[in-house]
Amino acid sequence: MRKEFLNEEIYQNLPEFVRTLTAPYLERERDIVLLSSLGVLSACLPNVYGVYNSENYTPHFYLLIIAPPASGKGVMGKSKKLIDKIHQQIKQASEINIAECKEGQKVTKNKTSKCPELEVKLAPGNVSSSKIYKHIQNSPFGLLIFETEADTISTMLKQDWGNFSDVLRKAFHHETISISRDIDDKYFEIEAPKLSLVISGTPSQVAPLINSKENGLFSRFLFYYFNEPSFWKDVSPEGESMDTNLLFSKGGDEILSLHNKLMQLENEIEVCLTKEQWGKLNVQLGLAYKSLVEINKTDVLPTIKRNGVILFRICMILTLIRNKDNIDNCVRLYCEDADFNVAMTIVKNAINHSIVVANLLGGIDLDPKKELNMRESIFLAKLSINFNKQNAIEIGKIMNIPSRSIDYILAKLLKLEIIQKLSNGVYMKKDNIKPQDSQELQDSQIINNNLKNEPTDVNKYKDSSKEQANEGLDISNSSSDN
């Protein structure tokens, strides 16, 4: 995978609060700080919801950052400070309530009344299955599991008493989870559980966590993957131009204030997309879905659908953060185009990362075409069995791929032995991939225009979004399982 970072335009269009958090960082570290901060913030916004595919969703989502050891992914630990003070406030208030209850039992000598259980905002990854049920049950406004070592959770999921993979899968969609045990005749169920995950780990740590693309947990994550090593950085006191611990601590104060204001609202705040934004979402993800079907990457299709949910959740987070000083007496907020475009660009990037991670989970006996990202796969599918470089450049123009990138893609295809060079500038594909007709080339142009990082004019989707999306997936007014 090439050394690529999130588009600069994302950072220029972020709400000021989030942009300030990412400002001290560059390139890979900046991407990690942004994504992990969004993951943490997803657990900090009570009484906020939106309607997606006719279902109510809260902002909570799952993030998994995968990279080699000592590659710099540990910087995501900074983002945990955004929720630490909320966690301490909730935990201390809960401990006081429990202590008062127990003291009251001593005074009244009434041992039959049951005291409340501990409520927290942060739960460790090293937790038993029964305990994670309890934590979620006692946290009606949601919980965050934050782990910088994915194998902490992987180890738990291997144990009979610690396997809560089903809880993770159900909580993503707020599906009711229940437990029944002979011990103590225990039975309880939790309606609309709310859970956020922010996890990082190495490829070997991740495999046991989501050991199969078919078990459903894989498709519920927003992935960010890189495999290049980090460089030595100045570790002296002068090496950091800004005290980032202080920066995130102050950020935690602001998020604590926002959290408390949201808790005091009489009515929940609904975050909505505009009609044009729904149209753009349906067209772009629908055509991405169709493209993956064409190139037979069916193992990633559930990820496309659930990335749509994550995109919507990121829109909710950015909208609340942008409007955090104007939520009094507010019952509805509309996502700004700037925030929608940021969320869309993040998810488009994550789709390619999902393909790479899917390959990692597939083992070493892979079809070499699975080493390609989505754009490269579509490009390959459009090539004739026999072609020359000019043919490739022309297809690249249709797909908005610069000629310099065409050289890179051709070199990659040669290295993977997907194509072979017959003579100077003349190539042949090694398998009989059927060339696509002209209409599919037009579809490819639409896909890649939409998958570009530049914001697109949403007005052109006003009338055509429903018709085009029927070829892929439409989630704005559908009740199908996405």
Side-chain angles (χ1 to χ4, degrees), residues 379 383 387-389 392 405-415 419 427:
F379 173 80
L383 292 171
F387 65 96
N388 57 39
K389 186 173 180 181
S405 297
I406 295 296
D407 291 336
Y408 167 82
I409 295 173
L410 291 176
K412 183 175 181 179
L413 295 174
L414 285 168
K415 183 178 179 180
I419 64 173
Y427 306 88

Side-chain angles (χ1 to χ4, degrees), residues 273-288:
L273 300 186
T274 65
K275 181 179 178 181
E276 292 78 15
Q277 289 165 354
W278 279 121
K280 187 175 179 181
L281 187 155
N282 279 324
V283 169
Q284 292 193 14
L285 294 189
L287 288 171

Side-chain angles (χ1 to χ4, degrees), residues 49 56 62 113 172 193 230 265 267 272 282 314 391 416 434 449 461:
Y49 79 101
N56 288 2
Y62 301 171
S113 62
F172 179 89
S230 62
L265 293 178
N267 299 300
C272 305
N282 279 324
I314 294 174
N391 300 145
L416 293 172
K434 181 182 176 182
N449 281 338
Y461 295 103

Side-chain angles (χ1 to χ4, degrees), residues 213-476:
K213 298 185 287 292
E214 287 76 35
N215 75 358
L217 186 55
F218 175 89
S219 64
R220 286 160 168 81
F221 279 97
L222 182 80
F223 288 102
Y224 185 80
Y225 170 80
F226 62 98
N227 58 7
E228 81 271 6
S230 62
F231 295 95
W232 184 265
K233 60 188 294 186
D234 187 349
V235 295
S236 69
E238 292 76 26
E240 196 170 63
S241 59
M242 180 185 296
D243 186 344
T244 53
N245 287 324
L246 179 60
L247 173 68
F248 278 85
S249 179
K250 289 182 177 179
D253 290 332
E254 290 189 50
I255 297 304
L256 174 63
S257 175
L258 173 61
H259 171 273
N260 291 343
K261 282 201 294 184
L262 290 168
M263 287 291 294
Q264 294 168 7
L265 293 178
E266 293 184 6
N267 299 300
E268 293 180 314
I269 296 177
E270 179 184 3
V271 178
C272 305
L273 300 186
T274 65
K275 181 179 178 181
E276 292 78 15
Q277 289 165 354
W278 279 121
K280 187 175 179 181
L281 187 155
N282 279 324
V283 169
Q284 292 193 14
L285 294 189
L287 288 171
Y289 188 91
K290 182 182 178 184
S291 298
L292 289 174
V293 171
E294 289 178 354
I295 60 179
N296 201 31
K297 286 187 179 292
T298 54
D299 55 343
V300 188
L301 294 180
T303 300
I304 294 282
K305 289 188 174 184
R306 292 190 170 109
N307 269 211
V309 180
I310 294 173
L311 188 158
F312 181 64
R313 286 167 156 163
I314 294 174
C315 287
M316 295 166 66
I317 297 163
L318 295 173
T319 298
L320 257 294
I321 296 300
R322 189 178 294 278
N323 293 278
K324 64 186 177 68
D325 298 322
N326 304 297
I327 61 171
D328 296 332
N329 303 315
C330 179
V331 295
R332 184 174 290 107
L333 289 170
Y334 279 89
C335 180
E336 294 188 9
D337 285 343
D339 294 330
F340 177 83
N341 287 325
V342 166
M344 178 62 78
T345 305
I346 288 172
V347 166
K348 289 185 296 190
N349 180 276
I351 290 172
N352 274 335
H353 287 240
S354 298
I355 292 172
V356 174
V357 177
N359 294 341
L360 289 176
L361 295 179
I364 59 174
D365 297 323
L366 292 173
D367 179 345
K369 291 191 291 297
K370 290 187 177 181
E371 295 293 330
L372 307 178
N373 64 31
M374 185 163 64
R375 184 176 71 165
E376 293 163 349
S377 297
I378 295 170
F379 173 80
L380 175 64
K382 305 309 173 188
L383 292 171
S384 300
I385 295 175
N386 295 283
F387 65 96
N388 57 39
K389 186 173 180 181
Q390 187 57 41
N391 300 145
I393 291 173
E394 291 301 320
I395 292 174
K397 287 179 181 178
I398 294 174
M399 295 179 62
N400 293 291
I401 303 175
S403 58
R404 184 175 58 182
S405 297
I406 295 296
D407 291 336
Y408 167 82
I409 295 173
L410 291 176
K412 183 175 181 179
L413 295 174
L414 285 168
K415 183 178 179 180
L416 293 172
E417 298 184 351
I418 296 171
I419 64 173
Q420 67 182 82
K421 191 172 184 178
L422 302 179
S423 61
N424 188 30
V426 179
Y427 306 88
M428 181 181 73
K429 290 199 290 189
K430 287 194 172 183
D431 57 10
N432 294 324
I433 299 175
K434 181 182 176 182
Q436 308 299 310
D437 61 28
S438 59
Q439 179 58 49
E440 288 173 323
L441 285 174
Q442 293 173 24
D443 287 346
S444 176
Q445 183 178 15
I446 295 171
I447 295 167
N448 285 279
N449 281 338
N450 291 337
L451 294 177
K452 285 169 62 181
N453 286 324
E454 293 80 4
T456 311
D457 179 9
V458 298
N459 291 324
K460 71 180 182 179
Y461 295 103
K462 238 179 210 181
D463 301 319
S464 62
S465 62
K466 188 78 173 183
E467 178 183 351
Q468 291 176 320
N470 284 337
E471 297 189 24
L473 71 165
D474 178 4
I475 48 73
S476 58

Side-chain angles (χ1 to χ4, degrees), residues 159-185:
Q159 311 299 325
D160 290 340
W161 50 266
N163 190 343
F164 50 89
S165 175
D166 62 321
V167 175
L168 301 183
R169 295 195 300 272
K170 290 181 178 180
F172 179 89
H173 287 294
H174 309 311
E175 297 173 22
T176 299
I177 56 178
S178 56
I179 185 171
S180 180
R181 297 286 186 270
D182 287 335
I183 300 174
D184 299 329
D185 195 25

